[in-house]
Amino acid sequence: MLSVQSVDYSYGPVKALREVSLTVGPGEIVSLLGANGAGKTTLLSVISGLLAPARGQVLLGGQVLSGRKTSLVVEAGLVQVPEGRQVFGPLSVEENLQLGAYCRRGRQHRQQVSRDFEQVYHLFPPLARRRRQPAGTLSGGEQQMVAMGRALMAAPKVLLLDEPSLGLAPLVTREIFDIIKKLPEQGCSVLLVEQNALGALSVAHRGYVLTNGSIRFSGSAAEILGDRQLREAFLGPERFEGSTGNKP
Amino acid sequence: MSGWEQLSQYVMSGLTTGSIYALAALGFCLIYNATHIVNFAQGDFISLGGLMMYTLLGAAGLPALLALPLAVAVVAGLGVMLEALAIRRAKSRDLTVLIFITVAASALFRGVFKEIWGKQALAVPPLSPDVPLRFLGATLTPQNLWILAITLAAIAVLIYFFNHTLTGRAVRAVAINPKAAALMGIDTRRMVRLSFALAGGLGALAGAIITPITTASYHVGVMMGLKGFAAAVLGGYGNFLGAIVGGLTLGLLESLGAGALSSAYKDVIAFVVLLLVLFIRPRGLLGRGEEARV
């Protein structure tokens, strides 16, 4: 489905990504792990079309998306939920969700979009109660739900989640991860970028470990969790499932 | 004339000029919200609006119903050109550089207008025949009422556009968080271009309705543009409601100040009050400062 092939990216002389390849299959949740500064967010920006790779390409269902406008990438079905949620604070929850469906603004989508509104409110019950409230006045967990709901309104085939647990309390983090687990049933694969590695691996099928801009390891969630060296070097022995995953 | 009638007269004339300042201030806000630059060519949009009306109504003899939308469309096009040919193509993304590009564009526009329309003041026919009316003790021309009505209509259209249409919300989303908007598939460049078109259209509207009173010339909008800028600052820069309140307040202050003291001091009074307000509330009357970080 999503296929990233040998992508390179540099910020001036600094190589941020080197020969990065990964795939996300239909119905899969794939976790991308790595320390702060490993290049995770850069990789997501390349996948979303915010940055053009120096080399390599990004494909979705065989269609080349790298180097194309973000609006086309979104229309193709690749949607990112950015780090730090980035909801449109002064706009209501409903307006935020409506903007998520911006790529489906044609008349022919109207029925499906209104069905998807109900679907999102079903998936995130707190949002249904706060439809008319400005999104900026919601709690961190609820804002994360707005950000995810907004992205789901674009009817993505693959959802890219950048640090969804960032700054959230353990209980709320659990709630968000539980919802992520349900996404494949909705026909949406997930690429989950997390510093909270144990939390991410508890919902992911597979994972990649990114260090200094290269994929160092890939395997099933159990394999990564079972590798003592990986645990200590990249995931950190002090991290436990449901920890807040705050950046230092 | 009784005191009441005089007061009424000053208020009506203050609201008339205030409407023009409000329209200009809205233009400044639109472009600021989309790009964070101050567009010093906003005043030239006003000038061109008036000059187009002079040509279309007077020389070409078109009916006002046709001339007004045509003038608005031409200036909206100039706004889009300013963005596409100068702002977008600038090598630098430094805001100071971009603001200076608008200063340069303003000088260029004035030069071109002077070449085409000359230096003299040009009489623009009013939208309907000039029969003085009495209203709440004030003597008004129909043009005063046109200005108030058209300004109100423009504000109503903007409110509808920004609160009830998807494109309007997309423009707001780009202003709030351009990166998140791009990630939703919103074409941010298109929204910026649309903001310039709207700012041009609002400027044209202001120029088209005020020049039957002031006459049109190649630089008639410059001072009005500056007052519009002051009004936007007074209301809280970037805040739409603030722009309207700021514009009307500034217009009323000028008019009442001129009445109470002398019309020689009208600009001074307005700007002194502006300074006082900014000493007490640096964010302006309705400014909320930075949008809450989320």
Side-chain angles (χ1 to χ4, degrees), chain B residues 243-270:
Chain B
I244 297 164
V245 172
L248 294 178
T249 308
L250 198 62
L252 285 171
L253 283 175
E254 273 189 13
S255 168
L256 294 171
L261 294 168
S262 148
S263 61
Y265 294 127
K266 82 172 187 179
D267 292 347
V268 180
I269 295 161

Side-chain angles (χ1 to χ4, degrees), chain B residues 68-158:
Chain B
L68 189 61
L70 212 55
V72 168
V74 166
V75 184
L78 185 71
V80 171
M81 271 173 57
L82 173 64
E83 198 276 335
L85 300 180
I87 306 288
R88 173 73 57 200
R89 276 160 195 260
K91 288 274 187 285
S92 166
R93 288 290 104 197
D94 184 341
L95 291 180
T96 324
V97 172
L98 297 180
I99 291 169
F100 258 88
I101 289 177
T102 71
V103 174
S106 169
L108 175 71
F109 291 154
R110 248 172 297 154
V112 172
F113 298 164
K114 195 159 68 179
E115 283 306 310
I116 300 175
W117 281 282
K119 284 193 206 169
Q120 70 281 29
L122 306 165
V124 179
L127 289 174
S128 54
D130 246 338
V131 211
L133 314 160
R134 304 277 299 167
F135 180 73
L136 292 178
T139 308
L140 300 172
T141 62
Q143 191 66 24
N144 286 99
L145 298 180
W146 276 118
I147 289 173
L148 294 177
I150 288 176
T151 303
L152 277 178
I155 290 170
V157 167
L158 283 179

Side-chain angles (χ1 to χ4, degrees), chain A residues 2-4 20-25 27-33 40 43-45 47-48 58 78-81 157-164 180 183-184 188-194 200 203-204 206-208 215:
Chain A
L2 170 66
S3 163
V4 175
V20 173
S21 299
L22 60 80
T23 60
V24 178
E28 250 193 329
I29 300 179
V30 174
S31 179
L32 179 65
L33 308 169
K40 303 185 303 279
L43 179 55
L44 281 194
S45 300
I47 297 176
S48 301
V58 177
L78 201 52
V79 183
Q80 187 191 143
V81 180
K157 297 191 181 94
V158 179
L159 192 67
L160 311 168
L161 285 163
D162 195 356
E163 306 271 4
I180 293 171
L183 293 178
C188 173
S189 309
V190 176
L191 179 62
L192 174 61
V193 170
E194 263 295 342
V203 295
R206 291 192 297 120
Y208 292 87
I215 300 283

Side-chain angles (χ1 to χ4, degrees), chain A residues 48 50 69-71 74 79-80 82 84 86-91 95 98-100 102-103 105 136 143 150-151, chain B residues 162-163 165-167 169-170 172-174 176-187 190-191 291-292 294:
Chain A
S48 301
L50 290 177
K69 277 204 222 163
T70 303
S71 51
V74 172
V79 183
Q80 187 191 143
Q86 319 255 0
V87 298
F88 302 119
L91 302 185
E95 286 173 314
Q98 196 188 33
L99 284 164
Y102 184 81
C103 63
R105 58 195 175 282
Q143 289 193 24
R150 184 177 65 180
Chain B
F162 282 111
N163 291 300
T165 69
L166 186 62
T167 309
R169 286 179 181 143
R172 287 172 70 197
V174 170
I176 296 165
N177 188 332
K179 186 188 159 196
L183 286 175
M184 292 301 105
I186 296 169
D187 187 341
R190 217 183 116 230
M191 298 304 148
E291 203 67 69
V294 286

